Amino acid sequence: ELFIEKEQLPVRATLVTGEELGGVLFVQPTWRRPSIEFDALVHLNLPDSYFPLQLPDGSTRLLAKGQVVLIRGAMEEGLELFGDPAPVRIQCSNGARVQGNLMIAKMTTNMRVLDFLNRSAEDFILLHEGSEAVLVNRRHVVLVNDDSNGAA
């Protein structure tokens, strides 16, 4: 039997139906504690169409990435955030709303929220909302209020 070692990352997934599933996401082991900011983001931005989520009862569900609107998890304490914070409010196709900071690594001196959203090729984008990290599926973003007024 083949066994691939994985780390477990507690998350809550919100689907297009509005259903919320809590469980653990399996990520590759690293030298540091697994985090939603790095490990989950990389995992969800792989080209695979599905990912497993182990529910609290031990059963596993295969979730279609395209049907996942949000993934929430605790931010890693003491994590150094890269980029400049850009406060935004995001409304999603299922009615979910998220308010927090996008961390924008500036490629040029004029990198704005609009530029970040249009140039990023990743399906899931990271937003910091209080003590939580939220991965937002850009395919389900309906409206973005750029509270930095384009100054980020």
Side-chain angles (χ1 to χ4, degrees), residues 114-126:
L114 176 63
D115 301 324
F116 173 79
L117 293 173
N118 282 331
R119 291 190 181 133
S120 177
E122 297 177 334
D123 288 334
F124 286 84
I125 54 176
L126 173 64

Side-chain angles (χ1 to χ4, degrees), residues 9 27-28 30 32-43:
L9 187 59
V27 296
Q28 294 294 331
T30 64
R32 58 176 164 65
R33 256 184 54 215
S35 72
I36 190 167
E37 294 94 334
F38 295 114
D39 304 292
L41 187 61
V42 167
H43 183 66

Side-chain angles (χ1 to χ4, degrees), residues 35-101:
S35 72
I36 190 167
E37 294 94 334
F38 295 114
D39 304 292
L41 187 61
V42 167
H43 183 66
L44 290 171
N45 282 316
L46 291 174
D48 303 331
S49 297
Y50 294 86
F51 67 94
L53 183 73
Q54 185 178 44
L55 303 179
D57 67 3
S59 65
T60 300
R61 298 290 182 269
L62 300 178
L63 301 182
K65 288 181 188 177
Q67 301 302 305
V68 174
V69 177
L70 304 171
I71 299 273
R72 295 176 180 273
M75 282 184 21
E76 186 177 334
E77 289 185 32
L79 182 70
E80 183 179 341
L81 303 176
F82 295 102
D84 294 325
V88 295
R89 288 174 284 145
I90 297 176
Q91 181 178 336
C92 299
S93 60
N94 68 345
R97 296 173 189 268
V98 185
Q99 180 174 348
N101 288 315

